[in-house]
Amino acid sequence: MWGKLDAKHKAIYFLGFAGPAMLFFIMVVLVPLVYGVYLTFTDWNGISLDMNFIGLENYKQVFHDAVFWRSLGLTIVYSAVAVVTTNLVAFGLAYLLTSKIKGQNLLRAGFFTPNLIGGIILGYIWQFLFSRVLVNLYDYIGLEIFRRSWLSSTGLAFAALVIVTTWQYSGYMMLIYISGFVGIPQDMIEAARIDGAKEGTITRKIRLPLMMPSVVICLFLSITRTFKVYDLNLSLTEGGPYGTTKMASMHIFSKAFEEYRYGIGQAEALIFFVVIAAIALTQTYIGKKREVEM
């Protein structure tokens, strides 16, 4: 039927079905993006009606803002560690929950539940655990690591962020890995076992190559999510102690809405967006290339 329609009717049908989605995409994504880029060339403070065009002055200030680049570097390190831990835990959980253990459906729901909790609430819950619960373990087991709250130590506060991020996102990534495990032909696994291959060899030589689409998706999602972390950073550590866990998103928010330097904050946000896009697209390209090679 579609082939019998002329160009005019095809255009009408296309706009009827895809038009609303395209309109919302343009109004919610493209227009704010273009307007945001324009604001990077102004001195707007986010409140007043005065807005003067100042050219590249905001970008010059950004490149001399050592605090921003330090927060961006910290974000890259945090994302690298959290992506690795999240995907390792998610892959391990998916492997266990596709091994026909008892109660696997209940366990899947349990591991996925943290992903349903908002980052603000999740941060306050874990803040209570680190500050009020874990410190009491020192009285019972005497480990020095529990002598004081992790959130009061620079290195341990960073580790706390990684632990909570892994706990939050691993359940979601687990479901994607489970779909990858389920899609593997079992006759290949059985044939490898008959030939004497061990589980480690089967996972490395058969499961991982066949699961590369799931791996690429999980890496992409975890990279983009960890880079944009704000709510968890705010509620768990508030960037402390002494700003040592202040990620790029929190720094940009502070610059734009607390210091009222919206133009500079928008310029930092644009640079941050370019960095995230470059890393995520590079990872996707490499992953897709490995899919073809395998």
Side-chain angles (χ1 to χ4, degrees), residues 19 21-39 266 270 273:
M22 292 177 60
L23 178 63
F24 279 109
F25 178 78
I26 292 171
M27 298 302 296
V28 176
V29 178
L30 291 185
V31 172
L33 177 62
V34 174
Y35 185 61
V37 172
Y38 166 72
L39 290 177
Q266 191 67 31
L270 183 61
F273 167 77

PDB file of all heavy atoms in Angstrom, residues 19 21-39 266 270 273:
ATOM      1  N   GLY A  19       5.761  13.502  12.953  1.00  0.00           N
ATOM      2  CA  GLY A  19       5.761  14.942  13.189  1.00  0.00           C
ATOM      3  C   GLY A  19       5.777  15.345  14.656  1.00  0.00           C
ATOM      4  O   GLY A  19       6.616  16.159  15.068  1.00  0.00           O
ATOM      5  N   ALA A  21       6.797  13.722  17.341  1.00  0.00           N
ATOM      6  CA  ALA A  21       8.089  13.387  17.953  1.00  0.00           C
ATOM      7  C   ALA A  21       9.180  14.339  17.481  1.00  0.00           C
ATOM      8  O   ALA A  21      10.023  14.786  18.274  1.00  0.00           O
ATOM      9  CB  ALA A  21       8.465  11.948  17.621  1.00  0.00           C
ATOM     10  N   MET A  22       9.173  14.660  16.173  1.00  0.00           N
ATOM     11  CA  MET A  22      10.169  15.595  15.644  1.00  0.00           C
ATOM     12  C   MET A  22       9.997  16.978  16.257  1.00  0.00           C
ATOM     13  O   MET A  22      10.985  17.653  16.579  1.00  0.00           O
ATOM     14  CB  MET A  22      10.044  15.678  14.119  1.00  0.00           C
ATOM     15  CG  MET A  22      10.446  14.414  13.378  1.00  0.00           C
ATOM     16  SD  MET A  22      10.180  14.557  11.592  1.00  0.00           S
ATOM     17  CE  MET A  22      11.239  15.953  11.211  1.00  0.00           C
ATOM     18  N   LEU A  23       8.744  17.401  16.443  1.00  0.00           N
ATOM     19  CA  LEU A  23       8.484  18.720  17.025  1.00  0.00           C
ATOM     20  C   LEU A  23       9.014  18.793  18.452  1.00  0.00           C
ATOM     21  O   LEU A  23       9.684  19.760  18.833  1.00  0.00           O
ATOM     22  CB  LEU A  23       6.982  19.011  16.997  1.00  0.00           C
ATOM     23  CG  LEU A  23       6.549  20.338  17.620  1.00  0.00           C
ATOM     24  CD1 LEU A  23       7.158  21.508  16.851  1.00  0.00           C
ATOM     25  CD2 LEU A  23       5.028  20.444  17.637  1.00  0.00           C
ATOM     26  N   PHE A  24       8.715  17.761  19.254  1.00  0.00           N
ATOM     27  CA  PHE A  24       9.199  17.749  20.631  1.00  0.00           C
ATOM     28  C   PHE A  24      10.725  17.698  20.681  1.00  0.00           C
ATOM     29  O   PHE A  24      11.342  18.337  21.530  1.00  0.00           O
ATOM     30  CB  PHE A  24       8.603  16.568  21.397  1.00  0.00           C
ATOM     31  CG  PHE A  24       7.209  16.816  21.897  1.00  0.00           C
ATOM     32  CD1 PHE A  24       6.122  16.183  21.335  1.00  0.00           C
ATOM     33  CD2 PHE A  24       6.986  17.706  22.935  1.00  0.00           C
ATOM     34  CE1 PHE A  24       4.838  16.422  21.792  1.00  0.00           C
ATOM     35  CE2 PHE A  24       5.705  17.961  23.410  1.00  0.00           C
ATOM     36  CZ  PHE A  24       4.624  17.314  22.840  1.00  0.00           C
ATOM     37  N   PHE A  25      11.334  16.927  19.782  1.00  0.00           N
ATOM     38  CA  PHE A  25      12.787  16.838  19.747  1.00  0.00           C
ATOM     39  C   PHE A  25      13.401  18.192  19.421  1.00  0.00           C
ATOM     40  O   PHE A  25      14.391  18.610  20.039  1.00  0.00           O
ATOM     41  CB  PHE A  25      13.228  15.800  18.711  1.00  0.00           C
ATOM     42  CG  PHE A  25      14.719  15.676  18.572  1.00  0.00           C
ATOM     43  CD1 PHE A  25      15.461  14.960  19.511  1.00  0.00           C
ATOM     44  CD2 PHE A  25      15.387  16.268  17.515  1.00  0.00           C
ATOM     45  CE1 PHE A  25      16.841  14.854  19.381  1.00  0.00           C
ATOM     46  CE2 PHE A  25      16.760  16.162  17.375  1.00  0.00           C
ATOM     47  CZ  PHE A  25      17.484  15.444  18.317  1.00  0.00           C
ATOM     48  N   ILE A  26      12.815  18.887  18.462  1.00  0.00           N
ATOM     49  CA  ILE A  26      13.331  20.206  18.080  1.00  0.00           C
ATOM     50  C   ILE A  26      13.179  21.202  19.225  1.00  0.00           C
ATOM     51  O   ILE A  26      14.113  21.942  19.561  1.00  0.00           O
ATOM     52  CB  ILE A  26      12.614  20.717  16.813  1.00  0.00           C
ATOM     53  CG1 ILE A  26      12.990  19.852  15.606  1.00  0.00           C
ATOM     54  CG2 ILE A  26      12.963  22.182  16.550  1.00  0.00           C
ATOM     55  CD1 ILE A  26      12.180  20.150  14.367  1.00  0.00           C
ATOM     56  N   MET A  27      11.992  21.201  19.876  1.00  0.00           N
ATOM     57  CA  MET A  27      11.717  22.184  20.918  1.00  0.00           C
ATOM     58  C   MET A  27      12.467  21.887  22.212  1.00  0.00           C
ATOM     59  O   MET A  27      12.880  22.811  22.924  1.00  0.00           O
ATOM     60  CB  MET A  27      10.214  22.242  21.193  1.00  0.00           C
ATOM     61  CG  MET A  27       9.382  22.684  20.002  1.00  0.00           C
ATOM     62  SD  MET A  27       9.865  24.317  19.379  1.00  0.00           S
ATOM     63  CE  MET A  27       9.464  25.341  20.784  1.00  0.00           C
ATOM     64  N   VAL A  28      12.652  20.602  22.536  1.00  0.00           N
ATOM     65  CA  VAL A  28      13.242  20.226  23.825  1.00  0.00           C
ATOM     66  C   VAL A  28      14.755  20.053  23.729  1.00  0.00           C
ATOM     67  O   VAL A  28      15.471  20.281  24.706  1.00  0.00           O
ATOM     68  CB  VAL A  28      12.581  18.931  24.358  1.00  0.00           C
ATOM     69  CG1 VAL A  28      13.243  18.461  25.636  1.00  0.00           C
ATOM     70  CG2 VAL A  28      11.099  19.162  24.587  1.00  0.00           C
ATOM     71  N   VAL A  29      15.270  19.651  22.559  1.00  0.00           N
ATOM     72  CA  VAL A  29      16.696  19.361  22.431  1.00  0.00           C
ATOM     73  C   VAL A  29      17.419  20.392  21.559  1.00  0.00           C
ATOM     74  O   VAL A  29      18.368  21.050  22.009  1.00  0.00           O
ATOM     75  CB  VAL A  29      16.917  17.943  21.861  1.00  0.00           C
ATOM     76  CG1 VAL A  29      18.407  17.667  21.685  1.00  0.00           C
ATOM     77  CG2 VAL A  29      16.294  16.905  22.783  1.00  0.00           C
ATOM     78  N   LEU A  30      16.996  20.534  20.312  1.00  0.00           N
ATOM     79  CA  LEU A  30      17.753  21.361  19.373  1.00  0.00           C
ATOM     80  C   LEU A  30      17.716  22.842  19.722  1.00  0.00           C
ATOM     81  O   LEU A  30      18.761  23.516  19.724  1.00  0.00           O
ATOM     82  CB  LEU A  30      17.228  21.139  17.951  1.00  0.00           C
ATOM     83  CG  LEU A  30      17.511  19.767  17.332  1.00  0.00           C
ATOM     84  CD1 LEU A  30      17.049  19.733  15.889  1.00  0.00           C
ATOM     85  CD2 LEU A  30      19.002  19.442  17.406  1.00  0.00           C
ATOM     86  N   VAL A  31      16.519  23.375  20.007  1.00  0.00           N
ATOM     87  CA  VAL A  31      16.412  24.806  20.314  1.00  0.00           C
ATOM     88  C   VAL A  31      17.203  25.171  21.574  1.00  0.00           C
ATOM     89  O   VAL A  31      17.991  26.139  21.556  1.00  0.00           O
ATOM     90  CB  VAL A  31      14.934  25.223  20.439  1.00  0.00           C
ATOM     91  CG1 VAL A  31      14.827  26.664  20.956  1.00  0.00           C
ATOM     92  CG2 VAL A  31      14.236  25.104  19.083  1.00  0.00           C
ATOM     93  N   PRO A  32      17.046  24.428  22.707  1.00  0.00           N
ATOM     94  CA  PRO A  32      17.870  24.756  23.880  1.00  0.00           C
ATOM     95  C   PRO A  32      19.369  24.617  23.618  1.00  0.00           C
ATOM     96  O   PRO A  32      20.172  25.386  24.153  1.00  0.00           O
ATOM     97  CB  PRO A  32      17.401  23.743  24.937  1.00  0.00           C
ATOM     98  CG  PRO A  32      16.021  23.377  24.516  1.00  0.00           C
ATOM     99  CD  PRO A  32      16.050  23.396  23.025  1.00  0.00           C
ATOM    100  N   LEU A  33      19.758  23.623  22.791  1.00  0.00           N
ATOM    101  CA  LEU A  33      21.177  23.442  22.482  1.00  0.00           C
ATOM    102  C   LEU A  33      21.726  24.645  21.726  1.00  0.00           C
ATOM    103  O   LEU A  33      22.787  25.186  22.075  1.00  0.00           O
ATOM    104  CB  LEU A  33      21.376  22.165  21.668  1.00  0.00           C
ATOM    105  CG  LEU A  33      22.816  21.879  21.216  1.00  0.00           C
ATOM    106  CD1 LEU A  33      23.726  21.700  22.431  1.00  0.00           C
ATOM    107  CD2 LEU A  33      22.863  20.638  20.333  1.00  0.00           C
ATOM    108  N   VAL A  34      21.010  25.071  20.693  1.00  0.00           N
ATOM    109  CA  VAL A  34      21.468  26.218  19.900  1.00  0.00           C
ATOM    110  C   VAL A  34      21.485  27.498  20.749  1.00  0.00           C
ATOM    111  O   VAL A  34      22.446  28.281  20.721  1.00  0.00           O
ATOM    112  CB  VAL A  34      20.574  26.405  18.660  1.00  0.00           C
ATOM    113  CG1 VAL A  34      20.942  27.686  17.914  1.00  0.00           C
ATOM    114  CG2 VAL A  34      20.701  25.199  17.732  1.00  0.00           C
ATOM    115  N   TYR A  35      20.441  27.675  21.559  1.00  0.00           N
ATOM    116  CA  TYR A  35      20.380  28.866  22.416  1.00  0.00           C
ATOM    117  C   TYR A  35      21.477  28.826  23.477  1.00  0.00           C
ATOM    118  O   TYR A  35      22.070  29.850  23.823  1.00  0.00           O
ATOM    119  CB  TYR A  35      19.006  28.956  23.076  1.00  0.00           C
ATOM    120  CG  TYR A  35      18.802  30.213  23.882  1.00  0.00           C
ATOM    121  CD1 TYR A  35      18.856  31.464  23.274  1.00  0.00           C
ATOM    122  CD2 TYR A  35      18.569  30.150  25.251  1.00  0.00           C
ATOM    123  CE1 TYR A  35      18.668  32.623  24.008  1.00  0.00           C
ATOM    124  CE2 TYR A  35      18.387  31.307  25.995  1.00  0.00           C
ATOM    125  CZ  TYR A  35      18.437  32.540  25.368  1.00  0.00           C
ATOM    126  OH  TYR A  35      18.255  33.689  26.107  1.00  0.00           O
ATOM    127  N   GLY A  36      21.758  27.630  23.986  1.00  0.00           N
ATOM    128  CA  GLY A  36      22.831  27.485  24.966  1.00  0.00           C
ATOM    129  C   GLY A  36      24.183  27.832  24.384  1.00  0.00           C
ATOM    130  O   GLY A  36      25.018  28.453  25.056  1.00  0.00           O
ATOM    131  N   VAL A  37      24.428  27.422  23.147  1.00  0.00           N
ATOM    132  CA  VAL A  37      25.687  27.780  22.483  1.00  0.00           C
ATOM    133  C   VAL A  37      25.788  29.304  22.336  1.00  0.00           C
ATOM    134  O   VAL A  37      26.854  29.897  22.548  1.00  0.00           O
ATOM    135  CB  VAL A  37      25.785  27.093  21.106  1.00  0.00           C
ATOM    136  CG1 VAL A  37      26.995  27.604  20.334  1.00  0.00           C
ATOM    137  CG2 VAL A  37      25.862  25.575  21.266  1.00  0.00           C
ATOM    138  N   TYR A  38      24.677  29.934  22.003  1.00  0.00           N
ATOM    139  CA  TYR A  38      24.679  31.401  21.883  1.00  0.00           C
ATOM    140  C   TYR A  38      25.013  32.056  23.225  1.00  0.00           C
ATOM    141  O   TYR A  38      25.779  33.034  23.279  1.00  0.00           O
ATOM    142  CB  TYR A  38      23.320  31.890  21.386  1.00  0.00           C
ATOM    143  CG  TYR A  38      23.111  33.379  21.555  1.00  0.00           C
ATOM    144  CD1 TYR A  38      23.788  34.290  20.743  1.00  0.00           C
ATOM    145  CD2 TYR A  38      22.260  33.869  22.544  1.00  0.00           C
ATOM    146  CE1 TYR A  38      23.617  35.661  20.905  1.00  0.00           C
ATOM    147  CE2 TYR A  38      22.077  35.237  22.711  1.00  0.00           C
ATOM    148  CZ  TYR A  38      22.760  36.119  21.892  1.00  0.00           C
ATOM    149  OH  TYR A  38      22.597  37.470  22.068  1.00  0.00           O
ATOM    150  N   LEU A  39      24.481  31.519  24.317  1.00  0.00           N
ATOM    151  CA  LEU A  39      24.719  32.112  25.636  1.00  0.00           C
ATOM    152  C   LEU A  39      26.188  32.045  26.043  1.00  0.00           C
ATOM    153  O   LEU A  39      26.633  32.832  26.881  1.00  0.00           O
ATOM    154  CB  LEU A  39      23.859  31.410  26.692  1.00  0.00           C
ATOM    155  CG  LEU A  39      22.353  31.662  26.622  1.00  0.00           C
ATOM    156  CD1 LEU A  39      21.639  30.845  27.678  1.00  0.00           C
ATOM    157  CD2 LEU A  39      22.030  33.139  26.782  1.00  0.00           C
ATOM    158  N   GLN A 266      27.762  27.913  31.045  1.00  0.00           N
ATOM    159  CA  GLN A 266      27.280  27.307  29.805  1.00  0.00           C
ATOM    160  C   GLN A 266      28.445  26.913  28.903  1.00  0.00           C
ATOM    161  O   GLN A 266      28.398  25.869  28.234  1.00  0.00           O
ATOM    162  CB  GLN A 266      26.361  28.287  29.076  1.00  0.00           C
ATOM    163  CG  GLN A 266      25.594  27.694  27.916  1.00  0.00           C
ATOM    164  CD  GLN A 266      24.576  26.663  28.356  1.00  0.00           C
ATOM    165  OE1 GLN A 266      24.021  26.739  29.442  1.00  0.00           O
ATOM    166  NE2 GLN A 266      24.335  25.666  27.511  1.00  0.00           N
ATOM    167  N   LEU A 270      29.254  23.140  27.631  1.00  0.00           N
ATOM    168  CA  LEU A 270      29.441  22.768  26.230  1.00  0.00           C
ATOM    169  C   LEU A 270      30.739  21.975  26.048  1.00  0.00           C
ATOM    170  O   LEU A 270      30.761  20.967  25.334  1.00  0.00           O
ATOM    171  CB  LEU A 270      29.462  24.022  25.356  1.00  0.00           C
ATOM    172  CG  LEU A 270      29.570  23.782  23.849  1.00  0.00           C
ATOM    173  CD1 LEU A 270      28.387  22.967  23.340  1.00  0.00           C
ATOM    174  CD2 LEU A 270      29.652  25.116  23.100  1.00  0.00           C
ATOM    175  N   PHE A 273      30.132  18.568  27.406  1.00  0.00           N
ATOM    176  CA  PHE A 273      29.339  17.782  26.464  1.00  0.00           C
ATOM    177  C   PHE A 273      30.209  17.214  25.346  1.00  0.00           C
ATOM    178  O   PHE A 273      30.072  16.044  24.968  1.00  0.00           O
ATOM    179  CB  PHE A 273      28.228  18.657  25.874  1.00  0.00           C
ATOM    180  CG  PHE A 273      27.540  18.053  24.680  1.00  0.00           C
ATOM    181  CD1 PHE A 273      26.609  17.040  24.827  1.00  0.00           C
ATOM    182  CD2 PHE A 273      27.831  18.514  23.392  1.00  0.00           C
ATOM    183  CE1 PHE A 273      25.979  16.485  23.724  1.00  0.00           C
ATOM    184  CE2 PHE A 273      27.210  17.963  22.295  1.00  0.00           C
ATOM    185  CZ  PHE A 273      26.279  16.948  22.456  1.00  0.00           C
TER     186      PHE A 273
END
